Amino acid sequence: MSEQNTHTEENIDNAAAPETAEADAQEQAVPPTYEELQARVEELEGMLKDEQLRSLANEQNLRRRHVEEIQSAHKFAGQKFATEMLPVKDYLEMALLDQSGNFDALKMGVQMTLTELQKAFDNTQITEITPQAGEKLDPHRHQAMQAVESEQEPNTIVSVMKKGYALNERVLRPAMVVVAKTTEE
């Protein structure tokens, strides 16, 4: 009997279903009023404005953080090199304080200071530009300070007056060199 009751309930539900569907269709068929539409438009505009404000605030925060990061990078760019230079300064101060008059000790102190400076250069990727006699002049890495008559080919390096230096392949100071010019006979 319970099966009959179940079938009967289904038939009742099925009979009620068309009425409900018909009522829903009638509700959907009634167009919203102007006031309802206006309220919905205002609600959507409010949501859009809120989203725009959030996006604008997010963009401003990103810009501010970016500017702060750039300022920080500029401010502390030399920090590694400065840290490497502290022992060099210490050694130079110790050398100046030495009153012993011992030339060998002073020379050893200067050598230790130079060694420490070279370590600082190595750790910060500062390399020497040391051209050799006979090399062609490279205007990107060398600066001709003087031209002398020589049997060497013109525009080749005769001697180095001062070494040059580069930081990560970027020239800090070109090597100052003497170059050959053609001999006038």
Side-chain angles (χ1 to χ4, degrees), residues 148-185:
V148 295
E149 289 184 7
S150 173
E151 292 181 12
Q152 287 182 205
E153 187 178 320
N155 287 329
T156 58
I157 296 169
V158 174
S159 64
V160 178
M161 297 172 76
K162 278 189 184 177
K163 295 178 189 175
Y165 292 93
L167 173 62
N168 291 324
E169 300 300 319
R170 185 178 193 181
V171 175
L172 295 172
R173 180 180 81 190
M176 296 176 188
V177 297
V178 176
V179 294
K181 66 179 181 179
T182 52
T183 55
E184 296 178 18
E185 296 178 29

Side-chain angles (χ1 to χ4, degrees), residues 116-134:
E116 196 64 33
L117 181 61
Q118 187 58 52
K119 283 192 331 190
F121 280 14
D122 292 344
N123 291 338
T124 54
Q125 287 79 41
I126 296 176
T127 56
E128 291 181 352
I129 300 172
T130 52
Q132 302 298 314

